[in-house]
Amino acid sequence: MSSLSDPPRSGRRAGRRLWLLGIPTTLAWAAAGWSGALGMLDGFRLMSLNRLDSWGVDAGSAASLVLFFSVAVTVASSLGFAMLWGAGMSVNRLGIGFRASSLTAALGVALGSGVAIPSWTPPESVGQRLPFLDGKAEPWSDVDWVVYYEPYLVPAVSALVALVLIVVLLRAFLSEAEAEDRTEALRQRGRRVTGHVVHVEFTNVWVMGNPRFVVHVRFPAETGERTVVATMVTSLFQAPSRGSAVTVRYDPQDPEAVLVEP
């Protein structure tokens, strides 16, 4: 299946936009990770480890950090959504934009929560719960020990997720670059003919508010007329229809190398 690709070098421009947007998005998520760790997770950790009294003492600063966390998450989410738009209007690039946005979130939370490690409030007792009224102290369960190491687990898990996303994103960028090179080669050296749309099918998929179609295009070649199936993402006002003329570039030596453009 052939795809109607974006204009030349648009993928590389989209990559630069992702890098430029990724820096402030990562910083915003770092602020969210830092304030969320100290403003919410720290308090929940203390309550879980049976130090309820400290919540009331630290409530003022915690409330301020929760407000800061809310603002940071709002800013980071808005920038992450802008990264989706900046990736480009195609299904493949939308996926790259989503993975890049997820990477900034994981990396930012890892950085922010990592910086917050020394500021977590230590529990009054390690290894056992404080006695309640006249009761006896109870040893910590496995879950309590997991909660105790939460200051280290949050950045570690976030960093691991970020590492996996980096590998996935690098593979996606390499695949996208190879596809762009093939497309550019067809634009430069491929044989150019005029084709016509003979069938249009709406896929019920919308990319950034634009419909995605599968079109069958018939075009003349050395061996006679050929038909190629391609995908197209357009605005509603530029939706393809039967009989529409399109530009087809193909490699006579490679039947699979076909590029369809409006």
Side-chain angles (χ1 to χ4, degrees):
M1 178 179 289
S2 173
S3 296
L4 287 93
S5 59
D6 298 315
R9 295 180 294 277
S10 62
R12 291 178 174 84
R13 290 197 298 269
R16 286 194 292 270
R17 286 196 297 268
L18 287 179
W19 281 110
L20 292 175
L21 285 171
I23 295 174
T25 307
T26 301
L27 294 177
W29 279 116
W34 174 79
S35 57
L38 299 181
M40 293 187 297
L41 296 181
D42 186 33
F44 294 146
R45 174 172 174 263
L46 292 177
M47 288 189 289
S48 177
L49 298 178
N50 199 17
R51 189 184 170 186
L52 302 180
D53 58 321
S54 65
W55 175 257
V57 175
D58 301 333
S61 60
S64 300
L65 287 172
V66 170
L67 178 60
F68 184 83
F69 170 78
S70 302
V71 175
V73 167
T74 301
V75 174
S77 300
S78 300
L79 289 172
F81 187 72
M83 292 183 69
L84 293 180
W85 282 97
M89 194 183 69
S90 71
V91 176
N92 290 336
R93 289 178 183 169
L94 182 63
I96 290 178
F98 175 77
R99 289 188 287 268
S101 177
S102 301
L103 171 60
T104 60
L107 186 60
V109 171
L111 292 174
S113 57
V115 171
I117 288 177
S119 302
W120 286 68
T121 307
E124 292 183 2
S125 175
V126 177
Q128 63 179 9
R129 291 179 173 273
L130 296 176
F132 182 72
L133 297 179
D134 295 331
K136 295 182 179 180
E138 298 178 358
W140 280 0
S141 65
D142 293 339
V143 175
D144 292 327
W145 282 107
V146 171
V147 173
Y148 174 70
Y149 287 108
E150 187 178 3
Y152 305 96
L153 291 175
V154 172
V157 172
S158 300
L160 180 61
V161 172
L163 181 61
V164 173
L165 287 172
I166 288 174
V167 174
V168 172
L169 198 58
L170 283 176
R171 293 184 60 184
F173 272 124
L174 290 175
S175 299
E176 180 75 9
E178 291 177 358
E180 283 195 359
D181 290 340
R182 292 193 298 268
T183 298
E184 189 63 22
L186 275 177
R187 285 196 174 98
Q188 296 294 333
R189 297 182 293 273
R191 188 159 298 177
R192 182 178 183 274
V193 296
T194 298
H196 292 84
V197 177
V198 296
H199 178 73
V200 180
E201 178 184 351
F202 177 48
T203 62
N204 291 317
V205 174
W206 295 77
V207 180
M208 296 300 182
N210 297 291
R212 182 172 181 258
F213 299 94
V214 172
V215 296
H216 295 233
V217 176
R218 184 173 296 162
F219 64 96
E222 285 80 359
T223 57
E225 285 196 337
R226 290 181 54 191
T227 301
V228 65
V229 181
T231 58
M232 176 186 292
V233 179
T234 69
S235 67
L236 288 174
F237 302 103
Q238 296 176 325
S241 60
R242 291 188 60 183
S244 300
V246 293
T247 298
V248 179
R249 301 177 190 272
Y250 70 97
D251 183 355
Q253 307 300 323
D254 185 2
E256 298 299 323
V258 180
L259 174 65
V260 181
E261 299 176 309

